[in-house]
Amino acid sequence: MNAAEYNIIVRQWAPHLLRFANSNMNDMDMAKDIVQDAFEVLWNNKENVEAAKARQYLFTVVYRKGIDVFRRDRHDVEISDVHLEIGATQSFEKTYTDKEFMRQAIGSLPETHRKLVLLRDLEGYDYKEIEEITGLSQSQVKVYLFRARKMLKETITRMETI
């Protein structure tokens, strides 16, 4: 891959990678950092990556970096940082746009399930590509997606009744 092909790939895939990373992280600054790191990794390995395979390579890097950040940050959260106040008379009168509603529902899924839903349903990857990105077998991908969609349906139903 040469510099011109690299620049085309950056322009073409940066918005998609940013959306994917932000959907997983729910932190735009962190998502930008992860995407920037992914493009740096691609540039450092430009001799070994074909331009035609760059999309898959980049999504794999973003996916794995997201897992690294999640694992690192998971240990930094203390119980005192979590505040949940539910009063007997408290009403849940919050209006959600469809986008916010879905983002919250998808965000409630376990990490692996959420990433698979985003790769398959939002980014449009097929099972083989998801297998290569995540390292899961196609059977695992299908099972996890089935479970994720089932959990998503239950979450949406529960959220709609509140």
Side-chain angles (χ1 to χ4, degrees), residues 65-78:
K65 285 193 174 287
I67 289 173
D68 292 344
V69 168
F70 177 76
R71 287 179 180 157
R72 182 192 70 216
D73 290 349
R74 178 176 55 187
H75 298 293
D76 294 340
V77 176
E78 295 181 16

Side-chain angles (χ1 to χ4, degrees), residues 46-60:
K46 66 183 180 284
E47 292 84 21
N48 302 325
V49 179
E50 298 174 25
K53 302 257 183 189
R55 170 184 165 226
Q56 183 174 346
Y57 184 83
L58 285 166
F59 272 95
T60 301

Side-chain angles (χ1 to χ4, degrees), residues 64-119:
R64 291 186 178 153
K65 285 193 174 287
I67 289 173
D68 292 344
V69 168
F70 177 76
R71 287 179 180 157
R72 182 192 70 216
D73 290 349
R74 178 176 55 187
H75 298 293
D76 294 340
V77 176
E78 295 181 16
I79 293 177
S80 63
D81 294 337
V82 180
H83 302 285
L84 181 61
E85 299 175 13
I86 301 176
T89 60
Q90 182 180 7
S91 67
F92 294 94
E93 298 180 61
K94 182 172 181 179
T95 54
Y96 294 101
T97 64
D98 290 340
K99 190 174 185 180
E100 291 170 339
F101 188 75
M102 285 305 297
R103 178 174 284 145
Q104 186 176 6
I106 291 172
S108 70
L109 293 172
E111 176 190 4
T112 304
H113 292 76
R114 180 179 64 246
K115 290 181 181 187
L116 291 175
V117 166
L118 293 171
L119 285 170

